[in-house]
Amino acid sequence: MSTIRLLPEALISQIAAGEVVERPASVVKELLENSLDAGATDIGVALAEGGIKQIRVVDNGAGIASDDLAMAFARHATSKIASLDDLEQVRSLGFRGEALASIASVARVKLASRAAGAARASAIGAEGGSIGTAEPAAQPEGTAVEVNDLYYNTPARRKFLKSETTEFGHCEEVFTRTVLSRPDVAFTLRHNGRVAARIAPGDPAKRVEAALGEEFARSMRPVAADGGVLKLSGFVGSPAYTRATRDAQYVYVNGRFVRDKLLAHALREAYRDVLHGERHPAYVLFLEIDPRGVDVNVHPAKIEIRFRDPRAVHQFVFHAVAKSLSASAAEAPAAIATPAVEGHSITPQFRQAGLGLAQPVAKYAAMFAERPPGAALAPAPAKDGAAGAPLGYALAQLHGIYLLAQNSEGLVLVDMHAAHERILYEKLKSALDSRAMNTQKLLIPATFHADRVDVATAEEHGSTLNLLGFDVAAISPFALAVRAVPAMLAEADASVLARALLRDIREYGASRVLTERRDELLGNIACHGAVRAHRALTIPEMNALLREMEETERSGQCNHGRPTWFQMSLADLDKLFMRGR
Ligand code: ADP
Ligand code: MG
């Protein structure tokens, strides 16, 4: 007797279903895709028990002719493509013709539909892979799909399902992805009879706010890049808005939500200069590309893709996002018009701090009422002079932490340390890139105790240290002397800098310190080298800092993603004092 035999049709379907229908959320995804492909403008999703008990998706799309109802459940049956050529330029979300077949093989499904313009509707049932016959039914134009008792016939799979709450969470995530992808469509989500979300059609920014919340919406910056064959649009969260997880990163390619390593990498790189540490950025981005330039048929779940020219896509996305993030201090506030909030108009820089409005108002109101003793007053610069310098001219230093300046719009507040840190970082980067790190010999070398490993590291990696502008020599088996530092760091504590450097080299190795770890290391050095709070600066020193900020890219954010300065316009101040009311 032969040992190789064909599997029964029902088992084949169940095996295939495993790839498409992993959990209730995958059913929700496939049904939503079908509704969007049918041109629906209003889609309702209703779940019971996290979708395990029931998933119902109702749309007002084009519907299915009653003669076609049974065919919709057939495996590899689709109305969306007919040839290889179609597949290569597919624009619909579905095209494999296997979602309904897969779902029907592991659940009890009812499909009711009325095609646009048809006199009546029909319904059909399918259960465990056997398809019933179409019968007349009551149903407005559009389609309703009901999926009951998922995995009722495959108990092993059913066991893998998590709690109702977890499964609902996954369904909600699929819902959010879909909602973000189509601002023009109305969506409703119900769970166990309660409305969980009701989202009206709106513009893309409104939709992002509805789906991801007001805080993100306030921080985000628009992205709009047109590279001819490639287009990128959407929103990126400012570096001041970060999250502990990657949960708010949405990327779409031709309207399809994707998980793609290449795109994720391009975005990580774009944020690298403004975001350090363990935090993750948030973004909603839509890449449009000629369908021939991307293969969506990589996996049955259609969430993975392959680009024909990955390098071009990477570069395009990286530059578009980096550009939007690096709007320099001089441009940022003027470029973005901000709507009034609760009667006050506040600049984007203000909003990025994530502070409530009441807080800064109270804070700055108190500041002017008291005029603290630490504030040394300088003569106000000529008015026309302030117009030429976007960040204006220094007035005073506040409590050794903030610099106050006057520009043509009003008051500028600068976090001295954060701003200086950003400037040093950018300068260190370009000096290292052009191998032109100016060093300064220390008149009196800074010596410090070190362990044997540090001493050995300093000796072994002298050339790396030199490249970074440092000269560190062993003066005993337990002591090191810093004899030179980068000129721009001449005023910093040389031994603190050297220790930080040696720690990095020990931990990551000299070559990684100069490559993948480079920006982090330079950020670290810049932080140590930047003016400490409570250091008194003279007015010319402050003005020099302001001028350097204007020249430095990305000076609106410090290396840790915090904002470095705020603009308070005269109008803002007038409001504080209720002038002109
Ligand atoms: P695919 O989406 O890959 O074509 P499916 O199994 O998901 O495969 O659906 C099979 C067919 O059923 C679709 O090609 C479409 O013609 C029809 N269909 C499914 N859902 C809907 C819907 N909500 N509205 C209109 N037609 C639908
Ligand atoms: Mg489909």
Side-chain angles (χ1 to χ4, degrees):
M1 190 189 126
S2 159
T3 50
I4 303 178
R5 56 194 159 249
L6 266 170
L7 293 172
E9 187 58 37
L11 186 54
I12 295 174
S13 299
Q14 286 177 358
I15 290 171
E19 293 190 292
V20 182
V21 190
E22 200 192 330
R23 58 188 344 149
S26 354
V27 175
V28 174
K29 170 182 176 285
E30 294 296 337
L31 298 184
L32 283 172
E33 286 187 358
N34 282 347
S35 295
L36 289 174
D37 281 345
T41 56
D42 193 346
I43 305 175
V45 180
L47 309 170
E49 296 177 19
I52 303 166
K53 183 84 202 120
Q54 187 181 75
I55 297 164
R56 213 177 126 74
V57 174
V58 181
D59 69 49
N60 64 349
I64 306 169
S66 60
D67 292 349
D68 265 353
L69 272 190
M71 201 54 183
F73 282 112
R75 185 164 297 281
H76 311 306
T78 179
S79 57
K80 300 171 192 175
I81 58 170
S83 64
L84 178 63
D85 198 41
D86 290 349
L87 175 62
E88 283 174 351
Q89 40 189 307
V90 69
R91 287 219 170 253
S92 54
L93 296 166
F95 53 85
R96 297 172 58 102
E98 56 184 0
L100 288 181
S102 293
I103 295 166
S105 74
V106 291
R108 302 186 170 102
V109 183
K110 276 187 223 155
L111 171 62
S113 192
R114 180 155 152 195
R120 57 180 64 96
S122 315
I124 190 170
E127 189 170 323
S130 66
I131 302 161
T133 45
E135 281 169 19
Q139 157 80 22
E141 268 183 22
T143 304
V145 185
E146 195 178 290
V147 177
N148 292 291
D149 309 316
L150 188 60
Y151 296 140
Y152 78 98
N153 55 349
T154 48
R157 282 207 148 259
R158 202 179 170 109
K159 275 200 205 107
F160 279 102
L161 293 178
K162 300 284 189 291
S163 72
E164 177 181 328
T165 319
T166 303
E167 294 303 338
F168 176 64
H170 286 285
C171 293
E172 238 184 340
E173 181 54 27
V174 163
F175 180 79
T176 303
R177 282 175 198 171
T178 312
V179 159
L180 281 169
S181 76
R182 290 291 301 271
D184 55 324
V185 174
F187 292 91
T188 314
L189 175 65
R190 287 186 179 78
H191 189 214
N192 294 337
R194 287 217 193 96
V195 174
R198 194 190 296 278
I199 297 177
D203 64 36
K206 282 229 177 59
R207 180 53 59 95
V208 170
E209 177 167 352
L212 299 183
E214 198 197 351
E215 205 194 330
F216 173 66
R218 258 186 284 133
S219 104
M220 71 196 186
R221 298 166 184 196
V223 175
D226 190 341
V229 287
L230 290 167
K231 290 186 178 64
L232 189 72
S233 64
F235 302 92
V236 290
S238 96
Y241 177 92
T242 59
R243 297 165 80 103
T245 65
R246 293 194 178 86
D247 63 345
Q249 303 185 341
Y250 296 89
V251 181
Y252 300 79
V253 174
N254 292 346
R256 181 189 308 279
F257 176 86
V258 296
R259 284 234 173 280
D260 183 66
K261 286 215 178 82
L262 175 98
L263 292 173
H265 184 264
L267 282 151
R268 247 196 331 276
E269 290 288 300
Y271 270 96
R272 195 155 78 147
D273 278 350
V274 284
L275 205 70
H276 280 244
E278 303 303 301
R279 306 287 297 178
H280 300 284
Y283 42 77
V284 180
L285 290 168
F286 302 93
L287 182 70
E288 292 294 324
I289 178 173
D290 183 325
R292 274 169 274 239
V294 58
D295 184 1
V296 288
N297 191 23
V298 178
H299 183 270
K302 297 164 293 183
I303 200 164
E304 286 169 44
I305 48 168
R306 246 178 244 133
F307 291 107
R308 207 140 287 173
D309 187 354
R311 268 178 61 101
V313 173
H314 187 282
Q315 281 189 353
F316 177 71
V317 170
F318 168 79
H319 285 294
V321 173
K323 190 174 147 224
S324 157
L325 289 174
S326 76
S328 83
E331 304 158 13
I336 311 167
T338 335
V341 175
E342 289 166 15
H344 295 266
S345 102
I346 49 180
T347 69
Q349 294 284 327
F350 237 105
R351 295 161 155 244
Q352 281 160 19
L355 300 169
L357 186 69
Q359 222 180 327
V361 169
K363 198 165 124 202
Y364 295 113
M367 183 172 97
F368 289 108
E370 282 170 27
R371 182 165 291 162
L377 284 181
K383 251 203 143 117
D384 50 351
L391 292 176
Y393 293 95
L395 298 170
Q397 198 177 3
L398 184 72
H399 282 286
I401 301 169
Y402 298 104
L403 185 165
L404 275 50
Q406 168 176 325
N407 67 358
S408 55
E409 276 189 51
L411 177 70
V412 172
L413 286 149
V414 178
D415 179 331
M416 274 171 14
H417 172 76
H420 192 211
E421 180 181 335
R422 164 52 71 187
I423 291 166
L424 282 181
Y425 172 69
E426 295 294 342
K427 280 189 173 174
L428 283 165
K429 251 179 34 176
S430 55
L432 193 58
D433 281 344
S434 54
R435 293 276 181 271
M437 189 74 79
N438 282 327
T439 61
Q440 175 152 342
K441 279 210 176 332
L442 298 180
L443 228 47
I444 307 163
T447 59
F448 60 96
H449 285 282
D451 63 23
R452 280 179 192 279
V453 184
D454 269 346
V455 174
T457 306
E459 290 186 318
E460 197 180 326
H461 298 292
S463 56
T464 301
L465 289 164
N466 290 345
L467 209 60
L468 289 161
F470 287 81
D471 178 3
V472 183
I475 48 172
S476 90
F478 303 102
L480 289 169
V482 189
R483 295 195 295 216
V485 296
M488 65 184 99
L489 299 172
E491 286 177 45
D493 184 330
S495 55
V496 169
L497 291 174
R499 273 184 216 273
L501 243 173
L502 290 169
R503 198 181 323 121
D504 249 55
I505 297 179
R506 263 169 80 160
E507 218 168 293
Y508 300 99
S511 62
R512 282 181 69 197
V513 158
L514 290 176
T515 52
E516 55 196 281
R517 291 271 315 161
R518 187 194 74 153
D519 292 351
E520 232 147 310
L521 174 77
L522 295 183
N524 203 355
I525 293 179
C527 182
H528 285 302
V531 280
R532 295 280 121 200
H534 305 301
R535 221 199 79 198
L537 294 187
T538 63
I539 295 286
E541 279 177 320
M542 292 186 234
N543 281 327
L545 183 65
L546 292 169
R547 301 292 80 79
E548 282 193 296
M549 286 174 70
E550 286 159 0
E551 278 163 25
T552 308
E553 247 193 304
R554 286 181 283 259
S555 64
Q557 241 86 37
C558 83
N559 302 337
H560 306 292
R562 285 182 281 115
T564 57
W565 67 283
F566 282 129
Q567 169 83 62
M568 281 202 95
S569 69
L570 285 175
D572 293 333
L573 294 167
D574 286 347
K575 278 195 186 108
L576 285 181
F577 292 99
M578 299 178 198
R579 276 177 70 138
R581 286 205 178 174

